[in-house]
Amino acid sequence: MVTRAFFNPVPVLTSSLQQIEGRAPCPARFAWPTRTSLIEIFGSDEVVNRVLVSLMNEAREDGALLEQALASADAPLVMERLHRLVGSLAFVGGADLERHGEQLIAQVQVYGLVASTPQLHAFQRNLQVYITYLSRL
């Protein structure tokens, strides 16, 4: 599910599958939520605070477990953690990272973990940027 309720375009990611398959990636513009848009969705500033704190804690934990899964070359665990992150990101409007995570799950299934490792590390870096952005809302 992709949320389209956000209107602050921010260029962030390129398609990992395009890079792996040798096609030139196209820079994309994505919309990240604003505090106002999150309040409109969740109903109050207090609820937004709770949601953001919960999301950031879970994303940090899942990100750390994703790193451990990568270090141990555990493809099923990598896909499980990506799936959890994708769900969390969809919940708060991280549509660009959500799509990227979905692509990575498919990429790991098709090409394997070793071939996907550079894109997985890029996803983790972008995830950190997004978590930092959310922490400042």
Side-chain angles (χ1 to χ4, degrees):
M1 172 183 224
V2 176
T3 305
R4 302 231 185 263
F6 307 105
F7 302 103
N8 284 345
V10 179
V12 181
L13 305 170
T14 58
S15 172
S16 299
L17 289 177
Q18 286 178 339
Q19 291 172 336
I20 278 264
E21 294 171 354
R23 294 180 292 183
C26 301
R29 293 186 60 83
F30 298 102
W32 283 4
T34 63
R35 184 153 197 94
T36 301
S37 65
L38 290 175
I39 290 170
E40 288 172 8
I41 291 168
F42 294 110
S44 75
D45 197 49
E46 182 181 317
V47 173
V48 168
N49 287 338
R50 287 193 308 245
V51 166
L52 289 177
V53 167
S54 176
L55 170 85
M56 288 183 289
N57 289 337
E58 289 179 21
R60 285 184 184 113
E61 180 182 325
D62 285 329
L65 291 170
L66 176 60
E67 185 62 38
Q68 290 174 357
L70 278 169
S72 65
D74 186 340
L77 186 56
V78 166
M79 290 186 294
E80 176 188 321
R81 288 298 142 181
L82 282 172
H83 181 75
R84 283 181 50 88
L85 286 164
V86 163
S88 295
L89 293 165
F91 191 65
V92 292
D96 54 337
L97 285 170
E98 174 192 3
R99 281 189 296 274
H100 193 212
E102 290 169 346
Q103 290 171 345
L104 283 172
I105 291 168
Q107 183 177 327
V108 170
Q109 290 173 331
V110 172
Y111 298 107
L113 190 56
V114 173
S116 305
T117 299
Q119 290 76 24
L120 287 161
H121 287 297
F123 177 83
Q124 288 177 298
R125 286 188 302 274
N126 287 320
L127 177 63
Q128 288 305 313
V129 168
Y130 191 65
I131 290 171
T132 300
Y133 170 79
L134 291 175
S135 72
R136 294 178 179 159
L137 288 182

